[in-house]
Short mmCIF file of all heavy atoms in Angstrom, two decimals:
data_model
loop_
_atom_site.label_atom_id
_atom_site.label_comp_id
_atom_site.label_asym_id
_atom_site.label_seq_id
_atom_site.Cartn_x
_atom_site.Cartn_y
_atom_site.Cartn_z
N MET A 952 2.96 -20.80 61.34
CA MET A 952 2.24 -19.86 60.53
C MET A 952 2.89 -18.48 60.58
O MET A 952 2.85 -17.77 59.58
CB MET A 952 0.79 -19.76 60.99
CG MET A 952 0.00 -21.04 60.74
SD MET A 952 -1.66 -21.00 61.42
CE MET A 952 -2.47 -19.98 60.24
N ILE A 953 3.44 -18.12 61.71
CA ILE A 953 4.07 -16.80 61.81
C ILE A 953 5.33 -16.75 60.94
O ILE A 953 5.62 -15.74 60.31
CB ILE A 953 4.44 -16.44 63.27
CG1 ILE A 953 3.17 -16.23 64.07
CG2 ILE A 953 5.30 -15.20 63.35
CD1 ILE A 953 3.42 -15.93 65.52
N GLY A 954 6.05 -17.85 60.87
CA GLY A 954 7.26 -17.92 60.04
C GLY A 954 6.97 -17.65 58.57
O GLY A 954 7.84 -17.15 57.85
N ALA A 955 5.79 -17.98 58.12
CA ALA A 955 5.44 -17.75 56.72
C ALA A 955 5.40 -16.27 56.38
O ALA A 955 5.60 -15.89 55.23
CB ALA A 955 4.09 -18.38 56.40
N LEU A 956 5.19 -15.43 57.38
CA LEU A 956 5.18 -13.98 57.14
C LEU A 956 6.55 -13.45 56.72
O LEU A 956 6.65 -12.40 56.09
CB LEU A 956 4.70 -13.24 58.40
CG LEU A 956 3.27 -13.52 58.85
CD1 LEU A 956 3.01 -12.86 60.19
CD2 LEU A 956 2.28 -13.04 57.82
N LEU A 957 7.60 -14.19 57.07
CA LEU A 957 8.95 -13.73 56.75
C LEU A 957 9.37 -14.00 55.33
O LEU A 957 10.34 -13.41 54.84
CB LEU A 957 9.95 -14.41 57.71
CG LEU A 957 9.74 -14.16 59.20
CD1 LEU A 957 10.70 -15.01 60.02
CD2 LEU A 957 9.91 -12.69 59.52
N PHE A 958 8.66 -14.89 54.64
CA PHE A 958 9.04 -15.28 53.28
C PHE A 958 8.04 -14.72 52.28
O PHE A 958 6.84 -14.95 52.39
CB PHE A 958 9.09 -16.81 53.15
CG PHE A 958 10.11 -17.43 54.06
CD1 PHE A 958 9.75 -17.98 55.27
CD2 PHE A 958 11.45 -17.45 53.70
CE1 PHE A 958 10.68 -18.56 56.11
CE2 PHE A 958 12.40 -18.01 54.53
CZ PHE A 958 12.02 -18.57 55.73
N PRO A 959 8.53 -13.98 51.28
CA PRO A 959 7.64 -13.39 50.29
C PRO A 959 6.95 -14.48 49.45
O PRO A 959 7.53 -15.50 49.12
CB PRO A 959 8.56 -12.53 49.42
CG PRO A 959 9.95 -12.98 49.70
CD PRO A 959 9.94 -13.65 51.03
N GLY A 960 5.68 -14.26 49.18
CA GLY A 960 4.94 -15.15 48.31
C GLY A 960 4.36 -16.37 49.02
O GLY A 960 3.80 -17.24 48.37
N THR A 961 4.48 -16.44 50.34
CA THR A 961 3.92 -17.57 51.07
C THR A 961 2.63 -17.12 51.79
O THR A 961 2.47 -15.97 52.14
CB THR A 961 4.89 -18.14 52.11
OG1 THR A 961 5.24 -17.11 53.02
CG2 THR A 961 6.12 -18.69 51.44
N ALA A 962 1.73 -18.06 52.00
CA ALA A 962 0.46 -17.77 52.66
C ALA A 962 0.50 -18.29 54.08
O ALA A 962 1.08 -19.34 54.36
CB ALA A 962 -0.67 -18.43 51.89
N THR A 963 -0.15 -17.56 54.98
CA THR A 963 -0.23 -18.01 56.37
C THR A 963 -1.41 -18.94 56.59
O THR A 963 -1.55 -19.51 57.66
CB THR A 963 -0.36 -16.81 57.31
OG1 THR A 963 -1.50 -16.06 56.94
CG2 THR A 963 0.88 -15.95 57.28
N TYR A 964 -2.26 -19.06 55.59
CA TYR A 964 -3.41 -19.95 55.68
C TYR A 964 -3.70 -20.50 54.29
O TYR A 964 -3.26 -19.96 53.27
CB TYR A 964 -4.63 -19.23 56.25
CG TYR A 964 -5.11 -18.10 55.36
CD1 TYR A 964 -6.10 -18.31 54.41
CD2 TYR A 964 -4.57 -16.83 55.47
CE1 TYR A 964 -6.52 -17.28 53.59
CE2 TYR A 964 -4.99 -15.81 54.67
CZ TYR A 964 -5.99 -16.05 53.72
OH TYR A 964 -6.40 -15.04 52.90
N ASP A 965 -4.47 -21.57 54.23
CA ASP A 965 -4.84 -22.17 52.96
C ASP A 965 -6.02 -21.40 52.37
O ASP A 965 -7.10 -21.37 52.98
CB ASP A 965 -5.24 -23.63 53.18
CG ASP A 965 -5.39 -24.41 51.90
OD1 ASP A 965 -5.30 -23.81 50.81
OD2 ASP A 965 -5.59 -25.64 51.98
N PRO A 966 -5.84 -20.74 51.23
CA PRO A 966 -6.91 -19.92 50.66
C PRO A 966 -8.19 -20.72 50.40
O PRO A 966 -9.27 -20.15 50.33
CB PRO A 966 -6.31 -19.39 49.36
CG PRO A 966 -4.84 -19.49 49.52
CD PRO A 966 -4.61 -20.66 50.44
N GLU A 967 -8.06 -22.01 50.25
CA GLU A 967 -9.23 -22.87 50.00
C GLU A 967 -10.24 -22.77 51.16
O GLU A 967 -11.44 -22.90 50.95
CB GLU A 967 -8.77 -24.31 49.82
CG GLU A 967 -9.89 -25.30 49.60
CD GLU A 967 -9.38 -26.72 49.47
OE1 GLU A 967 -8.15 -26.92 49.37
OE2 GLU A 967 -10.21 -27.64 49.47
N PHE A 968 -9.75 -22.54 52.37
CA PHE A 968 -10.60 -22.49 53.55
C PHE A 968 -10.82 -21.08 54.07
O PHE A 968 -11.23 -20.90 55.22
CB PHE A 968 -10.01 -23.37 54.64
CG PHE A 968 -9.81 -24.80 54.21
CD1 PHE A 968 -8.55 -25.30 53.94
CD2 PHE A 968 -10.90 -25.64 54.08
CE1 PHE A 968 -8.37 -26.60 53.54
CE2 PHE A 968 -10.75 -26.95 53.67
CZ PHE A 968 -9.48 -27.43 53.41
N ALA A 969 -10.57 -20.08 53.26
CA ALA A 969 -10.70 -18.69 53.70
C ALA A 969 -12.11 -18.33 54.11
O ALA A 969 -12.31 -17.50 55.01
CB ALA A 969 -10.22 -17.75 52.61
N ASP A 970 -13.11 -18.95 53.50
CA ASP A 970 -14.49 -18.62 53.86
C ASP A 970 -14.90 -19.20 55.22
O ASP A 970 -15.87 -18.75 55.82
CB ASP A 970 -15.46 -19.11 52.78
CG ASP A 970 -15.36 -20.62 52.52
OD1 ASP A 970 -14.35 -21.21 52.89
OD2 ASP A 970 -16.33 -21.15 51.95
N ARG A 971 -14.14 -20.15 55.75
CA ARG A 971 -14.42 -20.75 57.06
C ARG A 971 -13.47 -20.24 58.14
O ARG A 971 -13.38 -20.82 59.20
CB ARG A 971 -14.30 -22.27 56.98
CG ARG A 971 -15.34 -22.89 56.09
CD ARG A 971 -15.27 -24.37 56.23
NE ARG A 971 -14.91 -24.93 54.93
CZ ARG A 971 -14.53 -26.15 54.71
NH1 ARG A 971 -14.42 -26.98 55.73
NH2 ARG A 971 -14.24 -26.57 53.53
N THR A 972 -12.74 -19.17 57.84
CA THR A 972 -11.71 -18.68 58.75
C THR A 972 -12.11 -17.33 59.34
O THR A 972 -12.70 -16.50 58.65
CB THR A 972 -10.38 -18.52 57.97
OG1 THR A 972 -10.04 -19.77 57.42
CG2 THR A 972 -9.27 -18.05 58.86
N VAL A 973 -11.78 -17.11 60.59
CA VAL A 973 -12.02 -15.83 61.25
C VAL A 973 -10.76 -14.96 61.07
O VAL A 973 -9.66 -15.42 61.34
CB VAL A 973 -12.28 -16.03 62.76
CG1 VAL A 973 -12.42 -14.69 63.46
CG2 VAL A 973 -13.53 -16.86 62.96
N PHE A 974 -10.95 -13.75 60.58
CA PHE A 974 -9.84 -12.82 60.41
C PHE A 974 -9.96 -11.69 61.42
O PHE A 974 -11.04 -11.14 61.62
CB PHE A 974 -9.82 -12.26 59.00
CG PHE A 974 -9.38 -13.25 57.97
CD1 PHE A 974 -10.29 -14.09 57.35
CD2 PHE A 974 -8.05 -13.37 57.64
CE1 PHE A 974 -9.90 -15.02 56.41
CE2 PHE A 974 -7.62 -14.30 56.71
CZ PHE A 974 -8.55 -15.12 56.10
N VAL A 975 -8.85 -11.39 62.10
CA VAL A 975 -8.81 -10.32 63.10
C VAL A 975 -7.74 -9.33 62.64
O VAL A 975 -6.58 -9.72 62.48
CB VAL A 975 -8.47 -10.87 64.50
CG1 VAL A 975 -8.43 -9.76 65.51
CG2 VAL A 975 -9.47 -11.95 64.90
N LEU A 976 -8.12 -8.09 62.44
CA LEU A 976 -7.22 -7.03 61.97
C LEU A 976 -6.50 -7.44 60.69
O LEU A 976 -5.32 -7.16 60.50
CB LEU A 976 -6.19 -6.68 63.05
CG LEU A 976 -6.76 -6.14 64.36
CD1 LEU A 976 -5.65 -5.94 65.37
CD2 LEU A 976 -7.52 -4.85 64.13
N GLY A 977 -7.19 -8.16 59.83
CA GLY A 977 -6.62 -8.59 58.55
C GLY A 977 -5.71 -9.80 58.62
O GLY A 977 -5.17 -10.21 57.62
N MET A 978 -5.56 -10.38 59.80
CA MET A 978 -4.72 -11.57 59.96
C MET A 978 -5.60 -12.78 60.26
O MET A 978 -6.66 -12.64 60.87
CB MET A 978 -3.73 -11.40 61.11
CG MET A 978 -2.65 -10.38 60.88
SD MET A 978 -1.47 -10.33 62.22
CE MET A 978 -2.40 -9.45 63.46
N HIS A 979 -5.13 -13.94 59.86
CA HIS A 979 -5.78 -15.19 60.22
C HIS A 979 -5.90 -15.24 61.75
O HIS A 979 -4.99 -14.79 62.46
CB HIS A 979 -4.94 -16.36 59.70
CG HIS A 979 -5.59 -17.68 59.85
ND1 HIS A 979 -5.60 -18.38 61.02
CD2 HIS A 979 -6.26 -18.45 58.94
CE1 HIS A 979 -6.23 -19.52 60.86
NE2 HIS A 979 -6.64 -19.58 59.60
N GLY A 980 -6.99 -15.76 62.27
CA GLY A 980 -7.22 -15.77 63.70
C GLY A 980 -6.11 -16.43 64.50
O GLY A 980 -5.72 -15.97 65.57
N GLN A 981 -5.57 -17.55 63.97
CA GLN A 981 -4.49 -18.23 64.68
C GLN A 981 -3.20 -17.43 64.65
O GLN A 981 -2.44 -17.44 65.62
CB GLN A 981 -4.26 -19.61 64.08
CG GLN A 981 -5.41 -20.56 64.38
CD GLN A 981 -5.18 -21.93 63.78
OE1 GLN A 981 -4.30 -22.12 62.94
NE2 GLN A 981 -5.98 -22.90 64.21
N VAL A 982 -2.94 -16.74 63.56
CA VAL A 982 -1.74 -15.89 63.48
C VAL A 982 -1.87 -14.73 64.46
O VAL A 982 -0.92 -14.39 65.17
CB VAL A 982 -1.52 -15.37 62.04
CG1 VAL A 982 -0.39 -14.37 62.00
CG2 VAL A 982 -1.24 -16.52 61.10
N PHE A 983 -3.07 -14.14 64.53
CA PHE A 983 -3.29 -13.05 65.49
C PHE A 983 -3.07 -13.53 66.92
O PHE A 983 -2.39 -12.86 67.70
CB PHE A 983 -4.71 -12.49 65.32
CG PHE A 983 -5.03 -11.40 66.29
CD1 PHE A 983 -4.55 -10.12 66.09
CD2 PHE A 983 -5.82 -11.65 67.40
CE1 PHE A 983 -4.84 -9.10 66.98
CE2 PHE A 983 -6.12 -10.64 68.30
CZ PHE A 983 -5.63 -9.37 68.09
N MET A 984 -3.61 -14.70 67.25
CA MET A 984 -3.43 -15.24 68.60
C MET A 984 -1.96 -15.54 68.88
O MET A 984 -1.47 -15.29 69.98
CB MET A 984 -4.27 -16.50 68.78
CG MET A 984 -4.23 -17.04 70.19
SD MET A 984 -4.81 -15.91 71.44
CE MET A 984 -6.54 -15.89 71.10
N ALA A 985 -1.25 -16.06 67.89
CA ALA A 985 0.18 -16.34 68.07
C ALA A 985 0.97 -15.05 68.30
O ALA A 985 1.87 -15.01 69.15
CB ALA A 985 0.72 -17.09 66.86
N VAL A 986 0.62 -13.99 67.61
CA VAL A 986 1.31 -12.70 67.79
C VAL A 986 1.02 -12.15 69.20
O VAL A 986 1.94 -11.70 69.89
CB VAL A 986 0.88 -11.69 66.70
CG1 VAL A 986 1.33 -10.29 67.04
CG2 VAL A 986 1.41 -12.12 65.35
N VAL A 987 -0.24 -12.21 69.63
CA VAL A 987 -0.60 -11.73 70.95
C VAL A 987 0.14 -12.51 72.03
O VAL A 987 0.70 -11.94 72.97
CB VAL A 987 -2.14 -11.81 71.16
CG1 VAL A 987 -2.51 -11.60 72.62
CG2 VAL A 987 -2.83 -10.80 70.27
N LEU A 988 0.15 -13.84 71.92
CA LEU A 988 0.82 -14.65 72.93
C LEU A 988 2.33 -14.47 72.92
O LEU A 988 2.97 -14.48 73.98
CB LEU A 988 0.47 -16.13 72.72
CG LEU A 988 -1.00 -16.47 73.00
CD1 LEU A 988 -1.28 -17.94 72.65
CD2 LEU A 988 -1.38 -16.18 74.42
N THR A 989 2.93 -14.26 71.74
CA THR A 989 4.35 -13.99 71.67
C THR A 989 4.69 -12.67 72.34
O THR A 989 5.67 -12.56 73.08
CB THR A 989 4.82 -13.98 70.21
OG1 THR A 989 4.54 -15.26 69.62
CG2 THR A 989 6.31 -13.70 70.09
N LEU A 990 3.87 -11.63 72.11
CA LEU A 990 4.09 -10.35 72.75
C LEU A 990 3.91 -10.46 74.27
O LEU A 990 4.67 -9.83 75.03
CB LEU A 990 3.14 -9.29 72.18
CG LEU A 990 3.43 -8.87 70.75
CD1 LEU A 990 2.33 -7.93 70.24
CD2 LEU A 990 4.79 -8.23 70.62
N ALA A 991 2.94 -11.25 74.71
CA ALA A 991 2.76 -11.44 76.15
C ALA A 991 3.96 -12.16 76.76
O ALA A 991 4.41 -11.81 77.85
CB ALA A 991 1.48 -12.24 76.41
N LEU A 992 4.48 -13.14 76.07
CA LEU A 992 5.66 -13.86 76.55
C LEU A 992 6.87 -12.95 76.62
O LEU A 992 7.62 -12.95 77.61
CB LEU A 992 5.96 -15.06 75.66
CG LEU A 992 7.17 -15.90 76.02
CD1 LEU A 992 6.97 -16.55 77.38
CD2 LEU A 992 7.41 -16.97 74.97
N LEU A 993 7.09 -12.12 75.60
CA LEU A 993 8.18 -11.18 75.61
C LEU A 993 8.02 -10.15 76.71
O LEU A 993 9.01 -9.78 77.38
CB LEU A 993 8.31 -10.49 74.25
CG LEU A 993 8.80 -11.38 73.11
CD1 LEU A 993 8.69 -10.61 71.79
CD2 LEU A 993 10.19 -11.86 73.35
N GLY A 994 6.79 -9.69 76.95
CA GLY A 994 6.54 -8.75 78.03
C GLY A 994 6.82 -9.35 79.39
O GLY A 994 7.38 -8.71 80.27
N ALA A 995 6.43 -10.60 79.59
CA ALA A 995 6.68 -11.28 80.85
C ALA A 995 8.18 -11.48 81.07
O ALA A 995 8.68 -11.31 82.19
CB ALA A 995 5.96 -12.61 80.89
N ALA A 996 8.90 -11.84 80.01
CA ALA A 996 10.35 -12.02 80.12
C ALA A 996 11.03 -10.69 80.44
O ALA A 996 11.93 -10.64 81.27
CB ALA A 996 10.90 -12.59 78.82
N ALA A 997 10.58 -9.60 79.80
CA ALA A 997 11.17 -8.30 80.07
C ALA A 997 10.88 -7.86 81.49
O ALA A 997 11.75 -7.30 82.18
CB ALA A 997 10.64 -7.26 79.07
N ALA A 998 9.66 -8.12 81.98
CA ALA A 998 9.31 -7.76 83.36
C ALA A 998 10.13 -8.55 84.36
O ALA A 998 10.53 -8.01 85.40
CB ALA A 998 7.82 -7.97 83.59
N THR A 999 10.40 -9.79 84.05
CA THR A 999 11.21 -10.62 84.94
C THR A 999 12.64 -10.11 84.99
O THR A 999 13.24 -10.06 86.08
CB THR A 999 11.21 -12.08 84.44
OG1 THR A 999 9.87 -12.55 84.42
CG2 THR A 999 12.04 -12.97 85.34
N LEU A 1000 13.18 -9.71 83.87
CA LEU A 1000 14.55 -9.20 83.84
C LEU A 1000 14.68 -7.85 84.54
O LEU A 1000 15.70 -7.56 85.16
CB LEU A 1000 15.04 -9.11 82.41
CG LEU A 1000 15.19 -10.46 81.68
CD1 LEU A 1000 15.55 -10.20 80.22
CD2 LEU A 1000 16.25 -11.29 82.35
N ARG A 1001 13.65 -7.01 84.43
CA ARG A 1001 13.71 -5.68 85.04
C ARG A 1001 13.47 -5.73 86.54
O ARG A 1001 14.02 -4.92 87.28
CB ARG A 1001 12.64 -4.77 84.42
CG ARG A 1001 12.98 -4.39 83.01
CD ARG A 1001 12.01 -3.38 82.49
NE ARG A 1001 12.23 -2.14 83.22
CZ ARG A 1001 11.37 -1.13 83.24
NH1 ARG A 1001 10.24 -1.23 82.61
NH2 ARG A 1001 11.66 -0.02 83.90
N GLY A 1002 12.68 -6.67 87.03
CA GLY A 1002 12.34 -6.71 88.44
C GLY A 1002 13.15 -7.69 89.25
O GLY A 1002 12.67 -8.23 90.22
N GLY A 1003 14.39 -7.90 88.89
CA GLY A 1003 15.22 -8.89 89.56
C GLY A 1003 15.78 -8.46 90.90
O GLY A 1003 16.30 -9.27 91.64
N GLU A 1004 15.70 -7.18 91.25
CA GLU A 1004 16.29 -6.70 92.50
C GLU A 1004 15.23 -6.73 93.62
O GLU A 1004 14.19 -6.11 93.52
CB GLU A 1004 16.79 -5.28 92.33
CG GLU A 1004 17.93 -5.20 91.34
CD GLU A 1004 18.41 -3.75 91.19
OE1 GLU A 1004 18.24 -2.97 92.13
OE2 GLU A 1004 18.95 -3.46 90.13
N ASP A 1005 15.54 -7.44 94.68
CA ASP A 1005 14.62 -7.49 95.83
C ASP A 1005 15.32 -6.99 97.08
O ASP A 1005 16.37 -7.26 97.45
CB ASP A 1005 14.13 -8.93 96.08
CG ASP A 1005 13.04 -9.30 95.08
OD1 ASP A 1005 12.30 -8.42 94.64
OD2 ASP A 1005 12.94 -10.49 94.80
#
């Protein structure tokens, strides 16, 4: 679903089911959760790379 954001004219969700979908900050709930988890993963990877000296 996140990949659809990169292509113009594509939808991240099926508009037919928009009335049964939760939107957070204007994004489909699953897209929002994917963005949050991707940022958390990137943050954890960056913290691992920065804290390598013991």
Side-chain angles (χ1 to χ4, degrees):
M952 293 174 77
I953 292 178
L956 296 173
L957 301 174
F958 298 98
T961 59
T963 57
Y964 64 93
D965 191 354
E967 178 182 350
F968 302 106
D970 58 341
R971 294 188 243 167
T972 303
V973 175
F974 287 89
V975 180
L976 299 176
M978 291 185 284
H979 188 280
Q981 291 180 346
V982 173
F983 179 77
M984 185 59 71
V986 168
V987 168
L988 293 175
T989 300
L990 290 174
L992 179 63
L993 290 172
T999 301
L1000 294 174
R1001 289 187 68 195
E1004 296 180 25
D1005 282 331

